């Protein structure tokens, strides 16, 4: 009735299974219980591992393949169409992160108006063919929304590369509209899961007074690992555009899951007590120091508000990537100090930023930037030619 990792390893051993299929969340649990089942894994006979249900993070795929010595084949399927695409089996070419190629079903990437999009451009995945359903029984309204010009609308977002491999980036309904800038949660989750200290990650929307929706992440760290929310936000900002960086990262001991073990983005904010949303005004505290007064002036110029206090957070005010660039340009002109945008994650309020500026802000620039500080292999240092 429910997935049990201990039972799984018993089944794997007794059945002598040659392949298995599950979703990324289940595989993460399997990996967590690998050490105590090393003997079973050693004598397992898996020829390949199939993954569906959601996009599998590259780090999970690598760990699975190394653990079982078998390739992971990602499959894109749905109830309405059975298998749509699949990664080809060895010795055919596969691509990491791709859902593979079509096995006969017509697959197209289209814009909102139903026009085909060029190779490499992201849009909705639409399908048609003999295995695709003709419609939902006695549900005219749903059928009208699900079909367009003979194509079934999957609700998934992705793109084709030049060799016809499909890459799925997430669900249209999961996409977060952050003040007009679209954020795909899975893209941010992949970056979080690539961090060696992160075991689980989910990115979800919360209501925001000014932006409409804001981006929040929740993570579970690996045993014995320590990490701050600011460090994770900086980690993301080094990989993705600033507007994709969550305004808040919650470090939890566990993440709420449904009966199937799947994380639900829709209910995550409510489950973590964030349903009330963000962007509410902080208790007003007037500026006290000269630096605070100057910073408040810059923020009141950036935000059309009556007043900004030293407790106000840049992100809760409705700050976004382009606004951050403008603000830091203004700070450079006002204070004569050029700061990296990552400073905003460490000191997001006016008071914190003022204290940082008064304390010698130039220390923020580090000569050594650790990308992967852990591991057993020989360390690699990249030195700039200048």
């Amino acid at each position: 009735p429910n997935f049990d990792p201990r039972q799984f390893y018993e089944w794997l051993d007794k059945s002598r299974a040659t392949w298995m299929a599950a979703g990324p969340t289940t595989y993460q649990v399997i990996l967590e219980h690998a050490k105590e089942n090393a003997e079973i894994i050693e004598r397992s006979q898996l020829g390949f591992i199939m993954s569906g249900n959601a996009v599998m993070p590259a780090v999970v795929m690598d760990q699975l393949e190394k653990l079982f010595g078998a390739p992971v084949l990602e499959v894109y399927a749905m109830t309405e169409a059975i298998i749509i695409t699949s990664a080809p089996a060895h010795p055919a070419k596969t691509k990491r992160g791709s859902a593979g190629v079509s096995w006969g079903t017509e697959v197209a990437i289209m814009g909102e108006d139903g026009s085909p999009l060029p190779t490499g451009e992201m849009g909705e995945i639409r399908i048609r063919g003999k295995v695709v359903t003709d419609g939902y029984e006695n549900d005219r309204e749903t059928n009208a929304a699900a079909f367009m010009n003979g194509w079934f609308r999957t609700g998934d977002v992705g793109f084709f590369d030049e060799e016809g491999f499909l890459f799925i980036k997430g669900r249209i309904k999961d996409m977060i509209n952050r003040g007009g800038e679209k954020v795909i949660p899975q893209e941010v989750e992949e970056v979080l899961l690539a961090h060696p200290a992160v075991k689980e990650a989910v990115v979800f929307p919360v209501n925001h007074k000014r932006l409409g929706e804001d981006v929040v992440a929740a993570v579970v760290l690996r045993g014995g690992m320590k990490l701050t929310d600011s460090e994770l936000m900086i980690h993301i900002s080094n990989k993705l555009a600033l507007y994709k960086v969550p305004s808040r990262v919650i470090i939890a001991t566990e993440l709420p899951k449904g009966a199937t073990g799947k994380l639900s983005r829709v209910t995550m904010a409510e489950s973590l007590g964030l349903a009330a949303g963000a962007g509410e005004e902080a208790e007003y505290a007037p500026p006290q120091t000269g630096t605070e007064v100057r910073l408040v002036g810059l923020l009141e110029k950036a935000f059309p508000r009556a007043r900004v206090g030293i407790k106000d957070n840049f992100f809760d005010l409705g700050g976004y990537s382009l606004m951050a660039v403008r603000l830091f340009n203004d700070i450079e002109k006002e204070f004569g100090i050029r700061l990296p945008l990552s400073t905003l994650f460490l000191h997001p309020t006016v008071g914190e930023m003022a204290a940082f500026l008064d304390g010698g802000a130039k220390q923020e620039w580090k000569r050594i930037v650790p990308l992967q500080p852990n591991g057993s292999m020989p360390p690699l240092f990249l030195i700039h030619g200048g």
Side-chain angles (χ1 to χ4, degrees):
N2 290 304
F3 176 73
D4 185 332
R6 291 166 296 184
Q7 279 190 320
F8 161 76
Y9 280 105
E10 289 177 13
W11 293 339
L12 179 66
D13 202 31
K14 291 178 181 178
S15 68
R16 315 303 291 163
T18 54
W19 66 277
M20 63 178 175
T25 304
T26 300
Y27 284 131
Q28 285 177 315
V29 178
I30 289 172
L31 288 168
E32 288 173 25
H33 291 79
K35 284 186 178 179
E36 59 263 40
N37 293 282
E39 291 184 9
I40 292 177
I41 294 169
E42 182 66 28
R43 57 177 177 261
S44 67
Q45 297 180 356
L46 291 175
F48 68 94
I49 299 167
M50 186 181 289
S51 176
N53 186 275
V55 179
M56 177 176 280
V59 62
V60 177
M61 187 180 294
D62 290 339
Q63 290 171 354
L64 269 178
E65 291 187 339
K66 183 178 180 181
L67 184 68
F68 289 102
V72 174
L73 303 180
E74 288 210 78
V75 172
Y76 176 40
M78 57 196 313
T79 306
E80 292 87 346
I82 318 177
I83 291 181
I84 301 169
T85 65
S86 173
H90 182 78
K93 182 178 182 178
T94 60
K95 291 190 178 183
R96 180 68 90 238
S98 169
V101 296
S102 171
W103 281 21
T105 301
E106 282 189 79
V107 186
I109 306 296
M110 296 185 177
E112 293 183 13
D113 60 355
S115 59
L117 298 177
T119 297
E121 192 166 330
M122 197 176 302
E124 184 181 16
I125 302 170
R126 300 187 185 183
I127 58 175
R128 67 183 179 187
K130 292 181 179 180
V131 300
V132 181
T133 183
D134 291 331
Y136 302 98
E137 188 173 15
N138 301 324
D139 197 341
R140 185 177 299 177
E141 186 177 335
T142 301
N143 285 329
F147 292 88
M148 186 175 184
N149 300 326
W151 291 88
F152 178 74
R153 305 182 64 177
T154 66
D156 293 315
V157 180
F159 66 92
F160 276 114
D161 71 2
E162 63 285 348
E163 294 183 284
F165 280 78
L166 179 66
F167 289 80
I168 303 170
K169 305 309 290 185
R171 298 282 294 167
I172 291 177
K173 66 179 182 180
D174 288 341
M175 197 177 292
I176 303 170
N177 188 346
R178 189 186 210 178
E181 295 181 291
K182 304 296 193 298
V183 179
I184 298 174
Q186 288 89 341
E187 186 178 11
V188 185
E189 288 167 0
E190 285 183 12
V191 174
L192 282 167
L193 289 167
H195 195 289
V198 176
K199 183 174 74 172
E200 287 184 277
V202 61
V203 175
F204 55 94
V206 295
N207 296 326
H208 194 285
K209 185 177 179 180
R210 296 174 183 82
L211 298 174
E213 287 184 320
D214 199 6
V215 182
V216 174
V219 303
V220 175
L221 301 181
R222 298 187 185 280
M225 302 291 266
K226 293 183 179 180
L227 205 63
T228 66
D229 55 349
S230 297
E231 288 172 328
L232 280 172
M233 291 163 80
I234 292 172
H235 167 73
I236 299 169
S237 71
N238 287 333
K239 307 286 184 182
L240 298 174
L242 186 64
Y243 74 88
K244 298 178 182 180
V245 179
S247 60
R248 184 176 178 187
V249 177
I250 300 166
I251 299 177
T253 53
E254 63 177 346
L255 299 178
K257 299 181 179 70
T260 60
K262 190 175 181 180
L263 296 166
S264 173
R265 265 181 266 279
V266 178
T267 60
M268 190 59 63
E270 185 177 357
S271 300
L272 294 174
L274 302 173
E280 302 299 327
E281 293 187 21
E283 178 186 352
Y284 179 72
Q288 302 292 327
T289 68
T291 302
E292 289 175 350
V293 171
R294 292 159 73 186
L295 274 177
V296 165
L298 295 180
L299 280 165
E300 287 184 339
K301 173 185 171 185
F303 297 98
R305 286 169 51 97
R307 62 182 183 178
V308 174
I310 61 173
K311 291 184 179 180
D312 282 309
N313 184 299
F314 173 82
F315 298 104
D316 285 345
L317 288 170
Y320 53 89
S321 55
L322 184 58
M323 190 176 288
V325 173
R326 291 172 180 165
L327 175 63
F328 274 58
N329 284 338
D330 289 342
I331 289 175
E332 184 176 358
K333 293 176 184 176
E334 179 72 23
F335 295 93
I337 298 172
R338 181 168 171 260
L339 301 174
L341 289 177
S342 59
T343 309
L344 209 50
F345 306 127
L346 295 170
H347 316 287
T349 68
V350 174
E352 291 169 343
M353 183 66 76
F356 173 66
L357 289 168
D358 288 337
K362 289 186 179 179
Q363 296 172 1
E364 184 71 16
W365 292 100
K366 293 182 174 63
R367 294 186 181 277
I368 297 179
V369 182
L371 299 180
Q372 167 57 289
N374 302 311
S376 58
M377 300 294 285
L380 171 67
F381 294 89
L382 305 179
I383 313 299
H384 192 282

